[in-house]
Amino acid sequence: MATLDQKSPNVLLQSLCCRITGKSEAEVAHQFQYAVRVIGSNYAPTIERDEFLVSEKIKKELLKQRREADAALFSELHRKLQTQSVLKHRWSVLYLLLSLSEDPRKPSSRVGNYGALFAQALPRDAHSTPFYCTRPQSLALGYGERSAALSASVGTSGISSLGVYTLNGPTPTPQSLLAGQPPQSAAGAAQPLGSRLAWTLPASCSPSSALALPATRPPLGGPAPSVRVVRPRRDGEVSEAALVRDILYVFQGIDGKFIKMSAQDNCYKIDGKVVLCKSLRDTSSRLAELGWLHNKVRKYTDARSLDRAFGLVGQSFCASLHQELKEYYRLLSVLHSQLQVEDEQGVNVCTESSLTLRRLLVWMYDPKVRLKTLAALVDFCQGRKGGELASAVHSYGKTGDPQMRALVQHILSLVSHPILNFLYRWIYDGELEDTYHEFFVASDPNVKTDRLWHDKYSLRKSMIPSFITMDQARKVLLIGKSINFLHQVCHDRTPPGKITPASKSADTPKDAAELLSDLEGAFQEKIDAAYFDTSKYLLDVLNRNYLLLEHLQAMRRYLLLGQGDFIRHLMDLLKPELARPATTLYQHNLTGILETAVRATNAQFDNAEILKRLDVRLLEVSPGDTGWDVFSLDYHVDGPIATVFTRECMGHYLRVFNFLWRAKRMEYTLTDIWKGQMCNAKLLKTMPELSGVLHQCHILASEMVHFIHQMQYYITFEVLECSWDELWNKVQQAQDLDHIIAAHEVFLDTIISRCLLDNNSRSLLNQLRAIFDQIIEFQSAQDSLYRSALEELTLRLQYEEKKKQREEEGQWGVTAEQEAEEKKRIQEFQETIPKMRSQLRILTHFYQSIVQQFLVLLMTSSDESLRFLSFRLDFNEHYRAREPRLRASLGATRGRRLSNI
């Protein structure tokens, strides 16, 4: 047991203290206590932990001593040590070896009292902000070398920067303060700061003073005598020590004896009755500003910390302010400890290490800058929360001051931590737990499932942090929306982790800071990976399980009349039914005809899932409507595909179908007209009096056929086929469902506008419908003409047959009375021919005048394809000769349009 006790850490540490000081165990009790505190503290050396630099330093030391062989041997041993995993902290071992190898004959820098120790720098403790420093060219491990290295590097700003000896590197303690002290070994100087503090403690130091944190900036300028001349005070004048004590209270927002808060002026003021020289009054006023800044920040945190509606982002902002205030309080505690030590030692004169207003002014410079930044940030963030608050903090960090930028970046890492947690929860799990509406993705719980994709989730643009681009925000919205769409609408039970593997989230503010430092790299890669994986999986589900592309093609074939054999056969079957009044139609009869047309054409080979959605729809009936006016095909959509084919889209499809169906009917009607003309041409050759009228019918029919063929070509090829090809290419290249929806909406808008169904083309559509009405009227007129002509032809043939039959029987062919009746009837029929001719002439005139107005409107259209259509419709310039407005060339029309614009 004795052997074990001798090897315990306490025994070894006490032996080390005895060996270093050269005193007995009883005499090193205070040093031993302090050493125990140092070992148990979180002090860290202020040099960079770089194993390579330490090894290079050792080799340089060996080469200086002309020990080249030892340097080579050390290099080989170090290389072997690196290849093995025996030691985890090789840097610490090398650092210890280098420290122990330093020359003990170097002059000591040990201080002789607590005040001189306080004149050194603060030990580096835990900071609220990260420690940034440039890599030193050579590793400075001795106290003097460390001073030079740190003077060339940049520490953290403000309060925490005091922990790096000083901002510009520590100044060695003047030798005048070290008189009568034993020299300190170089090995001791190279030890960590905690060990050096144990060295410097005097034997008479009290335990309370040993527990106090020694910390201050070194005095400015070169070495100075330990006691300086004090200006004699006037009667009743307040001492500087009393002002220092008051100032330390003011730093914490507490009114002092002489310096108090003025509510009227909103600042700390020195009582006007106090007798004080101008320099001390000015310095005190400058220092009192820290109290005002502290109160401003503290008031904000106290008010907001208890406000739950401020949200997680706001609470993180308050926590970051609390951290900075905590560091500020830590410095004040050190200053209070020094003041207490001076009071206990009874210091009455201004020594080198005593607290003065000037020293406070120097030491509090960086904390004042930090508090000013925090106070300005608090003002700038008033009334903001969530992503808007993060944007305010981020915008405030766009400064050229590295210290201020480091402070704001640290606060931003804390503030953005909840936002990044919201974001990762949303893109990897599809969950939105935003109780206080801080995230930039908003959810509307009142929206039903069928409108989930379009209306349930949206972007709060005011809450998008400025360090997240609009494209990234859109992708984030789509990722979570896709996951919820898969679960709630597609009923896909695949876990989100299998759709896209979840990467490391921002578990700590440090992770958030690393992510924010690489927004264009790691953060963008995470968003893109989740976006592509989720969107690809969603499109695969829609195409594989719900036949999205097949439904899109079905719309083209049936509602846009792309299945030619089916449409033609359907018209043939429906012709008797649709010629009847609309009020006499029954939907079940038309549905039966539709199924017959499907079974008789290539439509029967389509997927049963598609054919069962095809149906007949009857529009609202108006007085005088026939079946042609109210008949329409319908396509039922539900489930996930209803997200693409919304009610608005199906309404557009219905409008386009009615337009195409009417144009197809005109083509069907003109075909019947042409068939009637061809069939009756030979029969009516025996009636020469009808040749003029029939010729007039043929000419008008040819004009109408040309017009309808050109319109059908324009609609079918220039509008539908071109737009469909663009849509199909976009759908094949779509990266997410929004791209498909947008491409489909562009497709519908294009065919709506180019088929003259939009508001801007209302006059053109009215003219076109008038032309269609003239074609129907012409069909009626020609049918009436042929009906009367065929009746007359039948009567004439019967008369000739009867006459011939009587002559074969040996009788007179006709009597005088019968012949007179025949001539009278023929004369009456011939008298109706001028009426028919005039009716056709009027019909031709109306038709041509409507076509002429239609061509004029086409020429003035903003759509270039419509202007080209006008040239094709008037290919022989018949209308151009009659209408001067049609004589302008296309180039002149375009130039005139541009000049008007």
Side-chain angles (χ1 to χ4, degrees), residues 375-605:
L377 196 57
V378 163
D379 276 341
F380 192 58
C381 295
Q382 287 286 352
R384 303 174 191 263
K385 60 180 288 187
E388 190 178 7
L389 176 61
S391 297
V393 176
H394 179 256
S395 63
Y396 210 79
K398 297 177 180 178
T399 175
D401 186 347
Q403 298 177 2
M404 185 184 297
R405 189 166 61 248
L407 171 62
V408 176
Q409 285 294 331
H410 171 63
I411 296 176
L412 181 62
S413 67
L414 293 173
V415 169
S416 61
H417 183 224
I419 295 178
L420 294 177
N421 282 339
F422 286 145
L423 188 146
Y424 285 129
R425 194 77 180 271
W426 172 249
I427 66 176
Y428 291 127
D429 299 326
E431 298 178 4
L432 190 62
E433 297 181 357
D434 186 16
T435 309
Y436 302 106
H437 309 296
E438 303 172 89
F439 194 42
F440 56 84
V441 174
S443 174
D444 187 354
N446 299 321
V447 176
K448 296 182 179 179
T449 306
D450 58 337
R451 295 294 299 176
L452 181 145
W453 186 270
H454 297 283
D455 299 332
K456 185 162 188 177
Y457 301 107
S458 59
L459 285 177
R460 291 192 190 102
K461 293 186 177 180
S462 62
M463 290 295 172
I464 299 178
S466 55
F467 50 84
I468 294 179
T469 64
M470 184 57 70
D471 181 63
Q472 289 174 337
R474 189 189 72 85
K475 287 183 178 180
V476 168
L477 172 67
L478 283 176
I479 294 168
K481 188 164 63 172
S482 299
I483 294 174
N484 284 281
F485 185 81
L486 283 167
H487 292 170
Q488 301 180 35
V489 182
C490 299
H491 306 292
D492 185 85
R493 300 305 176 192
T494 305
K498 291 187 177 180
I499 298 175
T500 176
S503 61
K504 180 184 176 184
S505 62
D507 295 329
T508 64
K510 182 179 178 182
D511 297 330
E514 292 176 356
L515 208 60
L516 291 173
S517 64
D518 193 16
L519 290 173
E520 300 295 330
F523 181 74
Q524 183 68 40
E525 289 175 4
K526 288 183 179 182
I527 298 298
D528 289 343
Y531 166 74
F532 287 123
D533 292 343
T534 308
S535 299
K536 183 177 182 299
Y537 184 81
L538 173 59
L539 294 182
D540 288 344
V541 169
L542 289 176
N543 291 329
R544 181 179 65 252
N545 300 343
Y546 296 96
L547 308 176
L548 175 61
L549 297 183
E550 284 78 356
H551 287 300
L552 195 60
Q553 291 175 326
M555 295 286 183
R556 172 70 182 94
R557 289 199 301 272
Y558 298 114
L559 296 189
L560 300 183
L561 312 188
Q563 189 80 20
D565 59 334
F566 167 76
I567 297 300
R568 179 69 191 189
H569 189 60
L570 181 64
M571 277 193 163
D572 291 338
L573 296 178
L574 287 174
K575 182 179 178 181
E577 287 285 331
L578 299 184
R580 294 162 50 191
T583 54
T584 62
L585 297 180
Y586 295 98
Q587 188 165 352
H588 62 273
N589 292 340
L590 300 178
T591 303
I593 294 174
L594 174 64
E595 294 175 354
T596 303
V598 169
R599 289 193 299 269
T601 59
N602 287 329
Q604 62 182 312
F605 301 111

Side-chain angles (χ1 to χ4, degrees), residues 729-743:
N729 290 334
K730 290 179 180 178
V731 168
Q732 295 295 328
Q733 299 170 5
Q735 295 178 346
D736 57 51
L737 184 57
D738 263 355
H739 288 167
I740 293 180
I741 294 174

